[in-house]
Structures are given as structure tokens and as C-alpha cells.
Amino acid sequence: ISPCCDFNQRWEVAVGADARKLRTVYYGVNSETYRPAERPAGNPPTVVWAGRINPLKDLETLLRAAALVVAEKPKAQFLLYGAADVDDKPYEERCLRLHDELALGDSVKWCGYTNRPQDAFNQADIVVLPSISEGFPNATLEAMLCERPVVATAVGGLAEQISGAGIAVEPRNPRQLADALLALLDDDKVRLALGKAAR
């Protein structure tokens, strides 16, 4: 049995798998496709999210955290890359309404689907993943290969994935998510060091 992370291995043992038959096999990502690129000097502090617009990705918490970050750093921008399936359109509409209610304006930009996530990640100072459920997501692995530190929720295998290369926070906690983003935006040395460690 080859779970994609140790978190899943512990879960499989808990529901009856034979521990002697378990071996964690992490996903691989092409390190040539996902490479770091320099961000142009003078760009605003930028946080990037990329994924499916889906309730499990918890974009509502991200939007609330973005409002807290922008209140302290008005020049900060959030670039959200992704699209919703037909079934998730009501959730997308709910997120768009929240965006308006929080008066986020151009501080949070909905960039749509991209087939080149490496370009999206290379726009970032920080990549964020606020999910309430994950296994061992490829998006964060791809961001790490682009030398971007990750702020993500400690769900599934994320905490073990980003250990030493980012900050893990509680799910559904906008204040904690915002504080982690602000801490890295305020400390170039730590942010860049985490990015190097991520690669």
C-alpha cells in the first residue's frame, strides 16, 4: 500500500491496514518545468493562489485573510488562478459576493484558469493554500520548486510537505492565515530563505 503522505499512512493504519505493507511514496514534479524566475523589481507584495474554485479549497477564509493583510499593507495584492466546475458555480458566486462585501476591489484579482501555473507562482512572493482538506497537493510542490515559500493549512499531508519551507496554520482561521502572510511579507530574509529551502 503506497499512500502519498505519512498523514494518509497513519489514517490507513487506524482503519485497519497492515503497517508492514505500507510505504509512503511522495508525488514527483518535473523540476525543469517548475523553475524559479526573478520577479521584476518594484512589483507590489504579491500572494498567489492556484487551484480549483471549490468549497474544500476554502477561498472564503483566504478572502477574509486578504482583507486583514490589505488593511495593514494597502499595496499588497492577491492573484487567484483557477476556475469552477459547473457544480461549483454557486460557490464561486458566493466567493465573488464576499469579495464585494469585503470591498477588496483590485487588491484581489480573479485571474481565471492557467495552463502554466509555474508563471503564476513566479509572480508571487508567497504562495498560499487555505484548504480544509488535502492529500499531498501538487500545486504546493510546484510552487516550492519555483522557490516560493508556502503558507498553508495544516490538513492532510501539507504540514509535512512544507516543513522547513513555509508556515502551516489552522484551517478556517483568517487571522492566523493573515498573520503568517504578514510575517513573511515583512521579513525578506526569512521569506527568501524559506523559498530556497523549498526548492
Side-chain angles (χ1 to χ4, degrees):
I1 306 171
S2 55
C4 64
C5 56
D6 289 344
F7 177 89
N8 283 13
Q9 184 177 136
R10 290 191 296 272
W11 175 80
E12 288 162 352
V13 168
V15 297
D18 183 346
R20 294 168 299 177
K21 297 180 179 179
L22 280 162
R23 180 180 174 196
T24 296
V25 180
Y26 291 125
Y27 298 142
V29 178
N30 189 324
S31 60
E32 292 302 312
T33 301
Y34 294 92
R35 300 184 62 79
E38 291 296 322
R39 291 184 69 244
N43 275 16
T46 301
V47 178
V48 167
W49 170 87
R52 290 177 298 118
I53 297 177
N54 174 278
L56 290 178
K57 302 301 180 181
D58 197 11
L59 289 172
E60 291 166 296
T61 290
L62 178 54
L63 292 170
R64 292 186 175 99
L68 296 170
V69 170
V70 171
E72 293 193 34
K73 286 191 171 300
K75 292 183 180 179
Q77 67 172 354
F78 287 71
L79 305 180
L80 311 185
Y81 287 88
D85 293 338
V86 172
D87 291 345
D88 289 327
K89 285 294 182 184
Y91 180 72
E92 180 181 36
E93 290 165 9
R94 201 165 88 201
C95 291
L96 292 171
R97 285 196 300 273
L98 181 59
H99 176 273
D100 292 341
E101 289 166 16
L102 294 170
L104 287 165
D106 286 340
S107 297
V108 175
K109 296 183 174 73
W110 300 89
C111 303
Y113 171 78
T114 178
N115 62 2
R116 287 187 56 83
Q118 62 269 46
D119 295 340
F121 296 138
N122 277 317
Q123 291 180 282
D125 292 294
I126 304 166
V127 171
V128 65
L129 190 65
S131 302
I132 58 172
S133 178
E134 288 287 353
F136 200 74
N138 278 324
T140 36
L141 289 175
E142 293 161 359
M144 291 166 68
L145 282 173
C146 293
E147 283 189 7
R148 270 40 186 188
V150 174
V151 173
T153 45
V155 297
L158 270 168
E160 68 192 84
Q161 186 187 81
I162 69 168
S163 178
I167 300 174
V169 300
E170 292 177 355
R172 293 188 169 130
N173 188 330
R175 181 73 263 174
Q176 196 176 111
L177 182 60
D179 286 345
L181 292 169
L182 286 165
L184 292 185
L185 290 173
D186 285 337
D187 194 327
D188 293 350
K189 185 177 179 181
V190 169
R191 188 180 68 251
L192 294 171
L194 287 175
K196 292 283 186 188
R199 172 89 183 168

